[in-house]
Amino acid sequence: MDATLGLPILVILIAVALLFDFLNGLHDAANSIATIVSTRVLRPQYAVFWAAFFNFIAFMVFGLHVANTIGTGIIEPEVVDVTVIFAALVGAIVWNVITWALGIPSSSSHALIGGLIGGGMAKAGISAAVWSGLSKTLLAIVLSPLIGFLLALVLVAIVSWLSVRSTPFAVDRAFRTLQFVSASLYSLGHGGNDAQKTMGIIGVLLYSQGRLGEEFHIPFWVVLACQAAMAMGTLMGGWRIVRTMGLRITKLTPMQGFCAETGGAATLFMATFLGVPVSTTHTITGAIVGVGAARRMSAVRWNVASSIVYAWVITIPAAAAVAAVTYWVVLALR
């Protein structure tokens, strides 16, 4: 560990981490607002304020289990130094910018995890990985969209049965109101899970510099800074990805939007309380596909959904590769 790092460099690295958090909010804004925008319950400019507010206050609801997993459960803390953190952030940011420019809703979470893996293994090889935490995260890649899919599918069935005697107009009006609740819950889950990933990165950086004492923990100022950075990113929006998530996968009604958001929120709440860093992108996409499939299988544009899956598969190795190259370049320039 490089415990003698100067304060200016440390501040710059924390700023880079907060930039990633900002881009995370920008990139994943669609996860919070795609359904409420596509059902025309809220205009985009109002939806981003709604989502940003609940992104910010998420720290009041959840603990810091995910932050601790990222800080100590992906790469051995003893391996982490300034170069590893810098490489991890560059790998995640580069991949986020590429997929944002192409309008592909890839996972910022897994880009960051890929960056950590790439930077850590470039330094110390395979032994750098904490396989217990990493395997839990990799399992969540499969389970989070599947759980979101199943919960949304079940919710559509329950809601349809409960609404069978109501007129379409009454159902539409009721769920336009209820979507405010479901969108709030999803934004809360998004802020709770995703912002904690950057908290973990900053926390392990401070720990590697001997600035947290003997025990790893997340200082409160780091919590506030990360929640604020994500909220600001959400305010800036991510309209390219909103279009993919809200309009191109399947056409949504307010009732279906409510079911997708509620199913996704329930998945995020469970994962966050368990300390599992899941992808909000994977989760909401699985839920949207679930409500589309509940109507009929042909209602889902499977070619769009499959292209998103391809992006998921390559996110971790792509970000890891960029991070590893960055690590080696930095070492060569020293």
Side-chain angles (χ1 to χ4, degrees):
M1 295 188 291
D2 189 4
T4 61
L5 185 70
L7 183 61
I9 301 298
L10 185 61
V11 170
I12 289 171
L13 281 172
I14 291 172
V16 174
L18 292 175
L19 172 63
F20 169 78
D21 207 23
F22 173 85
L23 290 173
N24 192 340
L26 177 74
H27 191 278
D28 290 359
N31 300 345
S32 298
I33 66 175
T35 51
I36 202 168
V37 169
S38 68
T39 56
R40 295 178 174 82
V41 171
L42 269 182
R43 292 182 179 180
Q45 59 268 37
Y46 300 130
V48 290
F49 278 99
W50 186 266
F53 172 75
F54 286 99
N55 274 179
F56 179 73
I57 67 169
F59 74 93
M60 300 178 183
V61 177
F62 302 102
L64 298 177
H65 309 299
V66 174
N68 289 322
T69 297
I70 292 292
T72 60
I74 303 297
I75 294 295
E76 294 288 352
E78 292 75 17
V79 170
V80 174
D81 61 13
V82 172
T83 309
V84 169
I85 292 294
F86 178 73
L89 290 169
V90 170
I93 288 172
V94 167
W95 185 246
N96 268 1
V97 170
I98 290 171
T99 52
W100 174 81
L102 296 175
I104 300 170
S106 69
S107 169
S108 298
S109 308
H110 294 138
L112 182 59
I113 290 165
L116 270 176
I117 293 169
M121 289 189 176
K123 178 183 178 181
I126 295 177
S127 62
V130 179
W131 291 107
S132 58
L134 190 55
S135 60
K136 181 171 65 174
T137 301
L138 295 176
L139 183 62
I141 291 178
V142 177
L143 290 182
S144 62
L146 180 60
I147 293 171
F149 175 91
L150 293 173
L151 286 176
L153 198 67
V154 170
L155 281 168
V156 170
I158 293 172
V159 167
S160 298
W161 179 74
L162 292 174
S163 306
V164 70
R165 295 186 179 181
S166 302
T167 65
F169 176 78
V171 171
D172 186 79
R173 184 175 59 183
F175 281 100
R176 281 181 176 275
T177 301
L178 287 171
Q179 254 205 290
F180 283 99
V181 178
S182 59
S184 302
L185 292 173
Y186 194 85
S187 295
L188 199 65
H190 173 225
N193 201 282
D194 270 15
Q196 287 194 44
K197 292 153 190 167
T198 308
M199 293 176 205
I201 288 290
I202 295 175
V204 77
L205 173 62
L206 294 171
Y207 181 72
S208 74
Q209 299 303 300
R211 295 179 181 271
L212 295 183
E214 294 299 319
E215 283 192 33
F216 177 85
H217 65 279
I218 308 296
F220 187 61
W221 69 265
V222 173
V223 174
L224 288 180
C226 290
Q227 297 288 175
M230 170 160 285
M232 288 300 296
T234 300
L235 280 176
M236 297 297 291
W239 309 123
R240 291 171 182 265
I241 300 172
V242 168
R243 183 171 176 268
T244 299
M245 297 293 291
L247 301 175
R248 291 180 59 198
I249 295 176
T250 190
K251 186 178 179 181
L252 297 174
T253 65
M255 184 269 280
Q256 292 166 331
F258 168 83
C259 293
E261 288 163 345
T262 304
T267 306
L268 290 182
F269 274 52
M270 286 187 289
T272 304
F273 282 121
L274 291 172
V276 181
V278 299
S279 166
T280 55
T281 308
H282 292 197
T283 303
I284 195 62
T285 302
I288 290 173
V289 170
V291 297
R295 186 163 71 245
R296 62 180 188 281
M297 295 301 286
S298 61
V300 178
R301 297 185 177 94
W302 293 103
N303 59 327
V304 176
S306 62
S307 68
I308 293 170
V309 172
Y310 297 146
W312 294 349
V313 171
I314 64 173
T315 289
I316 287 181
V322 174
V325 170
T326 301
Y327 182 87
W328 292 323
V329 168
V330 171
L331 282 189
L333 292 175
R334 281 183 172 179

